[in-house]
Amino acid sequence: MIKNGILILIAVIYSASLFAQPRTSLSGKVVSTDKSVIDFATVYLKGTQYGCTTNEQGIYHLHAPAGKYTLIISAVGFETYEKAIEIVPNERNKQTVVLKPSVTELDEVVVTSTGVNRVKKSAFNAVAVDTKELHNSTKSLSEALSQLPGMKLRESGGVGSDMQLMLDGFSGKHVKVFIDGVPQEGAGTAFDLNNIPVNFAERIEVYKGVVPVGFGTDALGGVINIVTNKKRRNWFLDASYSYGSFNTHKSYVNFGQTFKNGLMYEINAFQNYSDNDYYIDNYITEFGEDGITESTDKNKIYHVKRFNDTFHNEAVIGKIGIMDKTWADRLVFSFNYSHFYKEIQTGVYQYVVFGQKHRKGYSFVPSVEYRKRNLLIEGLDISATANYNHNITHNIDTAAYKYNWLGDKKYTGTPGEQSHQNNESKNTNWNGTFTANYRIGEAHTFTLNHVISTFHRTTRSYISGSSKLSDFSIPKKTRKNITGLSYRYMPSDKWNISAFTKYYNQYNEGPVSQNSDGIGNYTTLKKHLSSLGYGVAGTYFIIKDLQAKLSYEKAYRLPTTEELFGDEDLEAGKADLKPERSDNFNLNLSYAYHIGKHAIYVEGSLIYRDTKDYIKRGLSQVSNMSFGYYENHGRVKTKGYNISLRYNYSRWFNIGGTFNSMNARDEEKYRAGGTQQESLTYGQRIPNQPYLYANFDASFTWHDLFAKGNVLTLGYDGYYQHEFPLYWENLGDPTTKIRVPEQISHNLSIGYSLKGGRYNLSFECRNLTNAKLYDNFSLQKAGRAFYGKIRVNFGK
């Protein structure tokens, strides 16, 4: 009934639009005084519902009946333009406008950029962060994200370690990552968010829970979209280098040029290197002088240094294409190459120590991107992308020694510290996306999106046999198609509503164990999955600057390749996993208040998720081998909220923070379908998942210090996390229950920019108090660390 009602509503509104009065067109371009284009500026006719925004080239097209109006154009950081105009029928109505920079600066959380402002005005529960303020820091993209409401970064160690982003109670595979709208599944370790420098992005958009069909994804928790700078620039250069504790080196360079004829090129390269030799606290297994006996006192804790945790990655991205043609706004070919090397210090538990185990690999990714606004007919916008990912990952574990945290080793006579392997996996991905937006007048927009992705993995071993967690003789394959259709009705800037439906289709083929413990005795499984989802999202400005958003989605998440097939090393796959099904509700209120030099921004969200066949990661052990695994866990309900508050005083002082509370509990009452045996974990909190956490920050900025165009910034940011259980709370002896402890960390930074940002110096201290910090399964992270960075930035 809901789907039929949506279709009827669309048909009625579309039919009404066909009989609308004839309208004529007003078009033009919006630029700043330095001739640079201004994208996503708001253009409207005062006192009417006729309006639009400029595109990435600063161009706008507005339709309205002939007559006399007052044209209003506004953009963040610029003075509002107002002019009386007359739209004459059967004549070319063109208004090119130059906006002057504003002498004051508004609240940077709400309006740090026009792109950020556009995201916040959408009907979806979305937030965005402008990364330009962080380009002088040594942060990665994942660290920049951790300051947003509902976000939690979980890392298993230092630079290059395994990472999960948690969003409103969902983590890992529940949250999908995109770069400029292109899915990053299978991109490889070198392109994990914690390995990409923050300079790579212009802004980061986060859609929480309910996701627009334009992303064509099956995310339950939400979507993270990394948006790079696509503005037309004559030439530019952005280069930086940083050095810090644990012999950490990071560098980044981005340069390119766009010629007058529209031809463009761009090179983007970055690298990370770290020994990750920080200190941790753990008990030690001591080896006897005979080289055979062992003794362990778990009550005696040592302060020891990591010694097999070096990581480095290198990536280069080349682009060449054309812009601003009658048949293409943007046609770009890209070629990405990345490489990584990663030593593996521990298993899934910190007491498991490896001394020689490591992993390495590389990826090559050619891709093409096409975008055209008003293709063939006015109002039809098309974008399409395609890429091929050729990824090689090599797992090496051949040492016949057992190590302890002192670096001592004991000969075992059996090759393999965890499981004897020297294998190479070839992973190939094809990804294609197509999106069409069709605007009927100013109020109606239809969006059609289709995403197709394929995955194929073959593994060969350089030694006899396969990993215990997999069968190399059985290929692993997936094929996924997701189609979405949406309709948006936007009669005015005061409110808008979107309705959508999504069709999910997946084919999986791979090994599945016939043993009760899920390990060994594999056979080939072929499985086909399909589902239909739908949803609605709306926003309404109750009064000026007080915005309400409400959204619902019947969502599905298809199992990922890692969940289905593991990683051929530390993770066991499960090829017969079912897709997750969830009812997602979001309610969001935000308010911005400005008076003089003061600005306050408040935002709050309520979250509800009812998820069936929840895919949960657990830990297990077979024959002294510890590994991670995945399973469908019946039903999980998540209820939570987050609150954000920020205050600005002019361009000098800025302070704010977020508080997050997420309560995810097991709602599967019976252990197995059709039985009355009640589950021992029914009603219990999902283990190993933070549920109370907060972040906060403050900064002071002095402009024109010592010379015009020079800026000094002092910054502070901190993080609080309440303790949480590592295992189910009601199982075992409560007096010996393992809990990840409460923790709080503090970071300080100082930066100085010269010549309007051309030359930049910064210095940071992370974890100022040297607190013991943990994220994943009590794996300890680095203590106090210092980093310095130099950066140059030229362009016009």
Side-chain angles (χ1 to χ4, degrees):
M1 292 179 64
I2 294 175
K3 290 183 286 185
N4 291 336
I6 292 173
L7 294 174
I8 293 172
L9 175 64
I10 292 173
V12 170
I13 296 174
Y14 176 72
S15 300
S17 68
L18 297 179
F19 296 96
Q21 59 177 314
R23 289 177 288 179
T24 132
S25 176
L26 175 68
S27 62
K29 190 173 185 177
V30 180
V31 299
S32 64
T33 53
D34 63 359
K35 305 303 180 183
S36 61
V37 300
I38 302 176
D39 62 344
F40 302 110
T42 300
V43 182
Y44 66 98
L45 300 179
K46 189 175 182 179
T48 74
Q49 65 178 16
Y50 305 117
C52 64
T53 59
T54 59
N55 64 15
E56 293 178 351
Q57 288 75 46
I59 297 172
Y60 67 90
H61 295 278
L62 184 151
H63 302 278
K68 295 182 179 180
Y69 300 95
T70 299
L71 176 66
I72 305 291
I73 300 180
S74 61
V76 178
F78 296 89
E79 296 180 0
T80 299
Y81 175 89
E82 185 171 337
K83 182 183 178 181
I85 63 168
E86 182 176 1
I87 298 179
V88 181
N90 302 321
E91 289 188 12
R92 186 180 181 184
N93 301 282
K94 190 172 182 180
Q95 293 286 333
T96 298
V97 175
V98 178
L99 298 187
K100 298 178 180 179
S102 175
V103 296
T104 60
E105 186 171 299
L106 301 179
D107 180 358
E108 65 182 55
V109 170
V110 186
V111 289
T112 43
S113 77
T114 51
V116 172
N117 196 30
R118 176 179 58 87
V119 169
K120 295 187 72 63
K121 286 185 176 181
S122 75
F124 295 88
N125 187 8
V127 292
V129 57
D130 189 336
T131 62
K132 291 191 290 292
E133 298 290 331
L134 303 172
H135 281 184
N136 291 332
S137 74
T138 61
K139 292 182 183 294
S140 64
L141 287 178
S142 59
E143 290 169 323
L145 275 167
S146 63
Q147 296 182 2
L148 290 173
M151 294 295 305
K152 170 73 174 77
L153 171 64
R154 305 186 70 187
E155 293 181 294
S156 61
V159 176
S161 64
D162 294 335
M163 173 215 70
Q164 286 188 342
L165 279 171
M166 189 168 130
L167 176 58
D168 286 346
F170 282 95
S171 62
K173 313 301 184 299
H174 297 96
V175 182
K176 303 293 186 179
V177 177
F178 290 73
I179 295 181
D180 292 323
V182 179
Q184 294 302 294
E185 291 186 41
T189 299
F191 268 89
D192 285 346
L193 288 184
N194 59 337
N195 297 326
I196 303 178
V198 71
N199 303 64
F200 184 82
E202 183 179 50
R203 70 178 184 273
I204 310 173
E205 302 172 349
V206 178
Y207 294 83
K208 303 161 67 174
V210 179
V211 178
V213 299
F215 288 106
T217 186
D218 55 331
L220 282 187
V223 158
I224 295 168
N225 186 32
I226 309 301
V227 182
T228 62
N229 191 339
K230 284 185 165 59
K231 295 179 182 177
R232 179 166 181 158
R233 292 173 286 176
N234 291 341
W235 67 272
F236 58 93
L237 169 66
D238 186 359
S240 61
Y241 169 76
S242 68
Y243 174 76
S245 298
F246 321 121
N247 194 28
T248 301
H249 304 258
K250 297 183 178 183
S251 57
Y252 173 83
V253 62
N254 178 215
F255 65 90
Q257 188 174 10
T258 302
F259 300 96
K260 291 182 179 180
N261 62 2
L263 179 66
M264 61 82 66
Y265 72 89
E266 182 177 349
I267 301 294
N268 203 321
F270 60 88
Q271 65 81 217
N272 301 283
Y273 176 92
S274 181
D275 290 337
N276 287 319
D277 55 347
Y278 58 88
Y279 283 88
I280 65 165
D281 300 284
N282 208 86
Y283 63 82
I284 291 176
T285 297
E286 297 185 9
F287 306 133
E289 293 182 359
D290 57 3
I292 300 176
T293 59
E294 298 179 7
S295 62
T296 302
D297 183 356
K298 294 185 178 181
N299 295 317
K300 188 175 182 180
I301 304 300
Y302 292 80
H303 194 57
V304 293
K305 194 174 188 180
R306 297 170 72 100
F307 58 90
N308 183 50
D309 204 18
T310 296
F311 173 85
H312 66 84
N313 73 309
E314 301 81 30
V316 59
I317 306 159
K319 298 180 180 180
I320 187 168
I322 55 176
M323 300 175 64
D324 302 330
K325 297 297 182 180
T326 57
W327 48 273
D329 293 335
R330 183 178 175 89
L331 175 62
V332 176
F333 296 89
S334 300
F335 306 90
N336 302 2
Y337 176 80
S338 62
H339 175 271
F340 81 94
Y341 172 84
K342 179 179 181 179
E343 295 177 346
I344 300 176
Q345 178 70 90
T346 69
V348 293
Y349 299 100
Q350 187 162 280
Y351 64 78
V352 178
V353 188
F354 301 135
Q356 298 183 42
K357 184 177 173 63
H358 63 281
R359 183 181 300 166
K360 60 184 178 180
Y362 68 87
S363 294
F364 175 68
V365 186
S367 62
V368 62
E369 169 196 1
Y370 173 79
R371 300 180 188 274
K372 181 65 180 77
R373 189 176 174 88
N374 297 317
L375 178 68
L376 302 178
I377 60 174
E378 191 163 335
L380 178 61
D381 302 338
I382 298 294
S383 65
T385 67
N387 66 62
Y388 169 73
N389 189 332
H390 183 87
N391 175 276
I392 299 293
T393 300
H394 196 172
N395 291 300
I396 302 172
D397 183 5
T398 56
Y401 293 95
K402 180 178 181 179
Y403 285 81
N404 66 13
W405 274 116
L406 294 177
D408 300 331
K409 61 183 180 179
K410 164 189 162 182
Y411 182 70
T412 62
T414 303
E417 297 181 72
Q418 184 198 33
S419 61
H420 186 206
Q421 61 176 309
N422 184 352
N423 61 67
E424 182 182 270
S425 295
K426 181 173 75 172
N427 306 296
T428 56
N429 296 75
W430 286 95
N431 294 286
T433 69
F434 173 82
T435 304
N437 289 290
Y438 182 52
R439 303 181 306 279
I440 303 175
E442 302 301 328
H444 314 288
T445 303
F446 291 88
T447 299
L448 173 67
N449 174 274
H450 182 75
V451 172
I452 181 171
S453 62
T454 66
F455 172 85
H456 182 251
R457 175 191 292 168
T458 55
T459 304
R460 62 175 178 173
S461 178
Y462 293 97
I463 57 177
S464 60
S466 297
S467 166
K468 296 178 181 179
L469 303 183
S470 183
D471 189 326
F472 295 164
S473 65
I474 301 177
K476 290 88 173 175
K477 302 177 183 179
T478 65
R479 184 175 62 251
K480 181 167 63 175
N481 289 270
I482 302 175
T483 303
L485 176 65
S486 75
Y487 165 71
R488 186 187 71 173
Y489 179 57
M490 187 176 181
S492 71
D493 287 341
K494 190 171 184 179
W495 69 279
N496 66 82
I497 187 169
S498 296
F500 58 89
T501 184
K502 299 178 183 179
Y503 176 71
Y504 308 87
N505 184 285
Q506 186 180 33
Y507 170 80
N508 303 322
E509 181 180 337
V512 62
S513 174
Q514 301 178 82
N515 293 343
S516 59
D517 60 10
I519 301 299
N521 192 19
Y522 295 97
T523 187
T524 301
L525 173 75
K526 298 179 181 180
K527 191 171 184 179
H528 181 267
L529 309 169
S530 63
S531 303
L532 183 67
Y534 50 86
V536 63
T539 183
Y540 180 75
F541 282 89
I542 302 171
I543 59 174
K544 183 182 179 181
D545 296 325
L546 177 59
Q547 183 182 14
K549 296 182 180 184
L550 181 64
S551 57
Y552 162 77
E553 181 178 10
K554 181 68 174 181
Y556 291 84
R557 186 179 77 84
L558 306 174
T560 66
T561 54
E562 184 171 321
E563 291 169 334
L564 291 167
F565 309 131
D567 65 355
E568 315 291 2
D569 187 14
L570 298 172
E571 301 286 324
K574 190 174 177 63
D576 57 349
L577 284 172
K578 300 176 184 177
E580 294 179 321
R581 301 167 290 144
S582 183
D583 292 288
N584 296 343
F585 293 88
N586 299 274
L587 174 63
N588 176 272
L589 289 173
S590 62
Y591 179 68
Y593 178 73
H594 309 278
I595 179 170
K597 296 182 178 181
H598 304 273
I600 297 176
Y601 178 73
V602 183
E603 179 179 337
S605 295
L606 294 176
I607 299 100
Y608 175 82
R609 311 273 189 272
D610 185 356
T611 308
K612 301 175 183 66
D613 292 323
Y614 182 88
I615 299 177
K616 178 181 176 294
R617 180 180 184 270
L619 297 179
S620 188
Q621 193 168 3
V622 174
S623 301
N624 297 319
M625 179 184 68
S626 301
F627 62 95
Y629 70 96
Y630 298 91
E631 64 177 349
N632 288 111
H633 186 77
R635 187 175 187 180
V636 173
K637 284 186 179 180
T638 303
K639 303 173 185 178
Y641 65 89
N642 49 62
I643 300 172
S644 299
L645 176 64
R646 186 159 296 277
Y647 167 76
N648 274 13
Y649 177 72
S650 187
R651 295 190 299 164
W652 181 70
F653 178 62
N654 172 37
I655 188 171
T658 68
F659 177 81
N660 309 276
S661 175
M662 295 296 149
N663 186 11
R665 294 185 178 270
D666 178 15
E667 292 294 328
E668 186 65 26
K669 189 170 184 179
Y670 301 106
R671 294 187 62 181
T675 72
Q676 295 299 309
Q677 185 177 7
E678 188 167 310
S679 170
L680 294 176
T681 61
Y682 175 65
Q684 296 299 302
R685 191 185 305 278
I686 299 298
N688 191 41
Q689 184 169 291
Y691 59 91
L692 284 178
Y693 49 97
N695 57 66
F696 31 88
D697 62 88
S699 64
F700 295 87
T701 305
W702 290 267
H703 293 267
D704 299 326
L705 186 66
F706 305 128
K708 187 174 180 58
N710 293 2
V711 179
L712 176 68
T713 302
L714 294 178
Y716 162 82
D717 64 271
Y719 180 82
Y720 166 79
Q721 179 177 281
H722 190 66
E723 68 172 12
F724 60 92
L726 191 57
Y727 305 107
W728 293 106
E729 292 180 282
N730 67 335
L731 299 182
D733 185 352
T735 62
T736 59
K737 193 70 64 181
I738 300 177
R739 303 182 71 85
V740 178
E742 179 181 85
Q743 48 199 286
I744 185 169
S745 63
H746 308 273
N747 307 314
L748 293 177
S749 65
I750 180 171
Y752 189 58
S753 296
L754 299 87
K755 302 291 185 180
R758 286 189 176 183
Y759 310 98
N760 307 272
L761 302 170
S762 62
F763 180 78
E764 301 175 36
C765 176
R766 305 272 186 92
N767 193 3
L768 178 66
T769 60
N770 202 32
K772 293 183 180 180
L773 304 179
Y774 306 87
D775 274 338
N776 288 328
F777 296 100
S778 284
L779 297 176
Q780 191 171 342
K781 301 201 296 181
R784 185 185 298 114
F786 299 92
Y787 301 93
K789 181 176 180 178
I790 58 174
R791 174 177 174 244
V792 294
N793 182 30
F794 299 94
K796 63 179 180 177

